[in-house]
Amino acid sequence: MPAHEEHDPAQKLHRIRHSLAHVLAQAMQRLRPGATLGFGPAIDDGFYYDFILPEPLADDDLPRLEELMREIIAEGQPFTQEELPGAEALARLEAMREPHKVEYARELLEKKGLATLGFYTNGPFVDMCEGPHVASTKELPRDAFKLHAIAGAYWRGDNDNAMMTRVYGWAFATKKELREYEQARAQALLRDHRKLGAELDLFTIDDEVGRGLALWLPNGAVLCDELEKLAREWEFAAGYQRVRTPHLTRGILYQKSGHLSLYKAAMYPPMKLDDEDTAVLVSEARRALPEGEAWDPELTGAYFLKPMNCPHHHRVFAARPRSYRQLPLRLAEYGMVYRYELSGSLQGLTRVRGMCMNDAHIYLTEDQIQAEFLRVMDLHRRYYDLFGFKDYFLRLSCWDPDDPKGREKYVNDPPAWERSQGYIRAAMQELGLPYEEVKGEAAFYGPKIDIQFKTVGMKEFTVSTNQLDFAVGKRMGLSYVDRDGLDKVPYIIHRAPLGTHERFVSFLIEHYGGAFPTWLAPVQALVLPLSEQFLPYAERVAEALRARQLRADVDRSDEKLGKKVRLGATRKIPILLVVGEKEQADERVTVRRYGIEEQRSLPLAALVEQVEGEVRARKHVRAWADLDAS
RNA sequence: GCUUGUGUAGCUCAACGGUAGAGCACAGCUUUCGUAAAGCUGAGGCUGUGGGUUCGAAUCCCACCACAAGCUCCA
């Protein structure tokens, strides 16, 4: 290995983690003789190894595995490396009875064209592996790793393959770093939106309603309302028009849009009605569908919960003749959609089955694509600046021409895919923000820019999306009359900068740790009367705020001020207003702002004006100076 | 859907084969109070659901439901 790597801490840690994976595998072969191997890489916070086990593994086995690992470390086994020619390597793996390693070796030799394969040996353990590793197991920390989870994982990430048993470990260079990591993790989980959602009465998910179907409690509904208000204002300014569409739709629409052939797995099953004669619909569908496309006439007249708003907006577009003069035509709706997500993937508000989407569809000509795509990205950026998001990245999600399942996942029109991706690349270059290009993440109808966030649990999710659709306009028979008097098919941009209420709010909760800026806060100001005797004045203060549409309430409990302050702070209410004799006498309030040490006394009228101003400007006040500045 | 776990009062947890308990929250009373938890009293649980083992089950076993961490899939 090059000398400089020796001193690079990241490289060194990577070698430690990867070597620990091998130690884990050796320990597993002692604990479960006959275990065979999958992959065992280093990852962001440690390592894992995948196995096929003769006997299942339980959590109770992890301490024993750790013990065995420590023994192996104590033995000080040196790692030795060798390169074997392809045939010899295969023969060795066959002799080792490692079927998955053999499969992978074949692929490396045949598809990637490698001539030799590397093997690493430490003690009795041999693994086909690229390395690098530490020189000896004695370089591995004995107390800076911890096996923390057993999970199933499909061989090579394909659910048609065997499910292997994956053991995860955290690993660091020192015990102190491991402890710090565990503490930081526990700290982060205090911001988990599921925990805060319960503590702050934001939402609940109820078995009797259904898995993945969130109920917004009054406090959470305020967050949704404020987001909708924001979207309404900014979209209005950006030239969008609002529409409204129903939750239920006949199958014919999704047959024409392609959802029933390409998206059916994620749709709730059809509702069939006996008393409707759908013969006319069926013959219409037969005429409209592309030649040779398989379809089920039984579904044409059945009703579906809508998994996307697009087809409805397309019908709005088609409801009137359209001229090129109207383009780009921007139709917006916070629309509720339902998707039958796999039960195991549901997670709080982050992954649900019913969601309200900040949706809009923009119908445009080919030469308008680049400029409009940029305008949409700019809208995204302005939203993110408002919320102060910094920790996200952009992903250009492309189709994957080599995906064996591509025919079931993507509209089959390779030139259109390439052209559309070209437009997005050009727009992104003009935008000048870095992005990562990833194959196989496109929508079925076109490529998109996804904005990726991480939860406090470090799971990555798409929160916003900006998509270019070259396919569905044609399928749906959409057209506008162009300058030359001919009918043309519009391109369509699908965009959702604020994602869905469910996922977006889950990120907002975690981003702010539940301490929302005043404009978003469910309760913006809580008035704390010093004692019962000041209750009437407290009510007057709250009423003065409510008269300006500010969400104010009074703590009417029979508690001491200290308790009321504590409770108000625990609820992360941005503004607490203490009123007692002094305040009542001068028509003033004592203002205590969340997270700000200094309290100020203000005349009631000035307070109302101040809060009204900060809410109108959607300011995030973190210090009194933020207000003084304006 | 799959793998491995976890389900006890509204919340956080205890009881680990022998009569379900605490703190907070809730209700009543006392107190009327100046900046992060006043005091007393009370109510609240068929231990996720359904079976089984046992003289006896929150505790052991099975199935189902839900949740968590992963895999797959996705906003």
Side-chain angles (χ1 to χ4, degrees):
Chain A
M1 100 201 35
H4 67 269
E5 279 188 18
E6 201 57 57
H7 302 292
D8 179 343
Q11 280 288 339
K12 189 177 166 218
L13 186 55
H14 184 269
R15 276 206 303 278
I16 287 174
R17 286 169 171 165
H18 193 181
S19 303
L20 279 168
H22 282 221
V23 172
L24 166 62
Q26 188 182 143
M28 184 65 86
Q29 287 182 338
R30 285 194 200 173
L31 188 74
R32 291 276 189 283
T36 66
L37 306 174
F39 290 125
I43 53 175
D44 279 351
D45 59 1
F47 59 91
Y48 68 76
Y49 216 113
D50 290 341
F51 307 94
I52 298 280
L53 299 176
E55 296 279 324
L57 194 71
D59 282 8
D60 306 344
D61 296 315
L62 294 181
R64 178 69 190 130
L65 268 176
E66 282 181 12
E67 244 174 80
L68 289 167
M69 287 175 70
R70 287 193 189 93
E71 283 171 25
I72 291 164
I73 290 170
E75 283 169 22
Q77 302 170 352
F79 279 86
T80 56
Q81 198 256 356
E82 59 194 310
E83 286 288 327
L84 294 187
E88 216 172 303
L90 280 176
R92 175 184 283 194
L93 290 169
E94 298 274 9
M96 285 163 62
R97 299 178 188 279
E98 290 290 354
H100 292 97
K101 293 281 179 189
V102 169
E103 180 189 323
Y104 184 51
R106 285 227 167 84
E107 184 179 313
L108 289 176
L109 296 169
E110 287 157 23
K111 291 202 182 141
K112 306 267 162 149
L114 298 191
T116 63
L117 294 173
F119 284 79
Y120 272 84
T121 303
N122 61 303
F125 182 75
V126 182
D127 197 0
M128 179 184 77
C129 171
E130 266 192 300
H133 288 284
V134 295
S136 158
T137 58
K138 71 169 183 267
E139 288 178 31
L140 298 172
R142 266 197 257 188
D143 51 5
F145 73 90
K146 182 175 181 179
L147 302 181
H148 64 89
I150 300 174
Y154 301 106
W155 167 239
R156 312 220 61 185
D158 185 333
N159 61 357
D160 290 337
N161 288 342
M163 165 100 23
M164 308 185 87
T165 302
R166 176 173 297 178
V167 177
Y168 279 95
W170 292 317
F172 293 87
T174 63
K175 183 179 183 179
K176 181 161 169 277
E177 284 168 87
L178 172 65
R179 200 173 54 230
E180 281 167 1
Y181 177 78
E182 288 185 85
Q183 279 166 357
R185 208 166 161 277
Q187 199 62 35
L189 294 180
L190 294 179
R191 298 162 76 95
D192 189 307
H193 78 279
R194 290 164 294 191
K195 185 175 167 60
L196 288 171
E199 283 171 9
L200 303 177
D201 290 324
L202 300 175
F203 69 95
T204 190
I205 295 175
D206 186 322
D207 277 358
E208 294 185 18
V209 174
R211 296 182 75 177
L213 300 169
L215 301 176
W216 293 101
L217 304 178
N219 285 346
V222 167
L223 296 171
C224 298
D225 286 347
E226 287 296 337
L227 289 174
E228 288 191 30
K229 205 165 125 198
L230 173 69
R232 202 154 53 227
E233 289 171 21
W234 288 16
E235 284 167 2
F236 174 79
Y240 290 74
Q241 296 169 280
R242 286 165 64 80
V243 297
R244 289 170 168 268
T245 62
H247 294 206
L248 274 177
T249 292
R250 279 173 157 160
I252 185 170
L253 185 63
Y254 296 125
Q255 286 171 334
K256 285 188 181 178
S257 68
H259 285 83
L260 270 180
S261 57
L262 295 164
Y263 204 74
K264 194 171 170 213
M267 291 168 66
Y268 273 86
M271 289 165 262
K272 292 183 184 170
L273 300 179
D274 294 335
D275 60 349
E276 286 191 339
D277 185 350
T278 57
V280 175
L281 282 181
V282 170
S283 71
E284 189 192 328
R286 181 173 287 126
R287 271 204 323 276
L289 290 177
E291 195 82 20
E293 179 165 320
W295 65 291
D296 180 356
E298 282 291 302
L299 299 180
T300 305
Y303 285 83
F304 290 85
L305 281 169
K306 67 173 168 183
M308 293 188 188
N309 298 303
C310 353
H312 297 75
H313 291 181
H314 301 339
R315 295 311 296 163
V316 171
F317 181 92
R320 297 290 181 269
R322 303 293 178 181
S323 150
Y324 74 95
R325 293 173 190 276
Q326 293 172 294
L327 307 186
L329 182 75
R330 307 179 184 92
L331 302 178
E333 173 180 24
Y334 249 110
M336 194 76 192
V337 298
Y338 299 88
R339 299 181 185 176
Y340 195 75
E341 303 290 351
L342 289 179
S343 60
S345 69
L346 300 178
Q347 197 199 69
L349 288 180
T350 310
R351 192 76 190 284
V352 291
R353 283 179 174 164
M355 64 211 98
C356 190
M357 189 177 280
N358 170 228
D359 220 345
H361 295 89
I362 304 172
Y363 302 83
L364 31 57
T365 65
E366 188 157 1
D367 54 16
Q368 291 169 335
I369 290 174
Q370 195 168 323
E372 187 65 18
F373 201 87
L374 262 178
R375 280 171 58 101
V376 173
M377 288 312 301
D378 186 57
L379 183 60
H380 277 78
R381 183 158 56 180
R382 283 164 50 221
Y383 281 130
Y384 287 11
D385 286 348
L386 173 68
F387 293 111
F389 290 155
K390 293 194 175 67
D391 213 10
Y392 61 90
F393 72 94
L394 307 181
R395 181 179 79 188
L396 171 52
S397 303
C398 298
W399 77 316
D400 182 357
D402 303 322
D403 186 338
K405 295 178 185 170
R407 280 293 165 89
E408 301 149 37
K409 277 169 74 175
Y410 306 118
V411 168
N412 183 21
D413 187 348
W417 279 103
E418 292 306 330
R419 206 162 65 244
S420 302
Q421 287 166 190
Y423 287 129
I424 296 186
R425 283 192 200 101
M428 292 305 286
Q429 192 161 7
E430 203 175 324
L431 183 71
L433 288 181
Y435 65 93
E436 185 182 317
E437 203 166 314
V438 180
K439 276 185 183 176
E441 295 287 344
F444 75 75
Y445 45 69
K448 53 184 181 159
I449 291 290
D450 290 321
I451 292 92
Q452 302 299 109
F453 274 72
K454 281 186 178 168
T455 65
V456 290
M458 296 309 283
K459 281 177 77 156
E460 183 185 317
F461 286 93
T462 300
V463 72
S464 315
T465 187
N466 186 11
Q467 318 179 338
L468 181 57
D469 175 354
F470 58 81
V472 179
K474 185 174 172 204
R475 281 192 64 109
M476 297 276 296
L478 304 185
S479 67
Y480 62 93
V481 181
D482 204 355
R483 201 179 300 262
D484 54 15
L486 297 176
D487 282 350
K488 303 273 173 68
V489 179
Y491 273 76
I492 304 163
I493 287 175
H494 307 233
R495 42 109 283 177
L498 299 177
T500 62
H501 279 326
E502 287 72 13
R503 186 170 289 178
F504 202 82
V505 168
S506 77
F507 282 108
L508 284 182
I509 295 169
E510 298 186 354
H511 173 64
Y512 290 120
F516 300 105
T518 312
W519 71 274
L520 273 171
V523 175
Q524 296 172 318
L526 186 65
V527 190
L528 313 182
L530 201 57
S531 71
E532 212 166 69
Q533 133 187 41
F534 307 107
L535 201 49
Y537 179 59
E539 297 286 2
R540 266 181 53 217
V541 170
E543 273 160 31
L545 287 159
R546 282 198 298 263
R548 304 289 189 90
Q549 298 294 304
L550 297 168
R551 297 181 289 271
D553 204 352
V554 177
D555 183 338
R556 300 177 187 85
S557 68
D558 178 23
E559 296 289 351
K560 302 212 293 193
L561 184 60
K563 179 74 171 277
K564 291 180 182 178
V565 166
R566 180 184 157 77
L567 244 57
T570 309
R571 290 169 63 193
K572 302 173 197 263
I573 292 168
I575 300 167
L576 298 180
L577 301 170
V578 178
V579 298
E581 196 168 355
K582 288 184 295 191
E583 289 80 3
Q584 179 172 286
D586 302 342
E587 187 93 349
R588 296 176 78 88
V589 289
T590 297
V591 186
R592 196 184 206 280
R593 281 178 170 273
Y594 187 85
I596 302 178
E597 190 98 18
E598 183 202 348
Q599 298 185 38
R600 289 193 178 178
S601 169
L602 289 179
L604 176 55
L607 180 268
V608 173
E609 201 173 311
Q610 184 182 76
V611 179
E612 202 177 19
E614 104 184 63
V615 166
R616 194 187 310 114
R618 296 193 171 96
K619 257 187 209 171
H620 191 184
V621 176
R622 294 183 175 94
W624 281 105
D626 295 339
L627 286 160
D628 297 340
S630 59

